[in-house]
Amino acid sequence: MIELLGILLLVQGGGGLINRLLGSNNPSWFVQLHLLPPGMHVVASALMVAAGVGVLFAERARKQRRRSE
């Protein structure tokens, strides 16, 4: 379930970041683009990507520690 959260953050953040960097004005299905003011879109998307990567790496490390015990 934690992996699903990491993937969701990564997809939402990455998609929103690409959406804004390519200059689209349509918020599409990216949550942060609907909820936040336009000045925060790129920063929020980048933070979501970082959080998603962090969650996925932390979960992977946790699983590897369990295997080694």
Side-chain angles (χ1 to χ4, degrees):
M1 190 66 164
I2 293 175
E3 291 169 338
L4 182 60
L5 174 65
I7 292 169
L8 182 62
L9 284 169
L10 192 59
V11 169
Q12 283 285 309
L17 190 60
I18 291 169
N19 184 299
R20 288 301 167 212
L21 292 178
L22 293 178
S24 177
N25 290 327
N26 182 8
S28 189
W29 53 275
F30 304 110
V31 175
Q32 71 277 21
L33 303 183
H34 286 281
L35 298 177
L36 299 172
M40 295 183 67
H41 288 172
V42 173
V43 173
S45 295
L47 288 174
M48 287 176 76
V49 168
V53 168
V55 167
L56 290 173
F57 275 115
E59 182 64 15
R60 184 177 182 195
R62 186 183 68 83
K63 284 184 177 182
Q64 285 180 348
R65 274 187 309 229
R66 277 191 174 171
R67 285 188 198 143
S68 65
E69 291 177 353

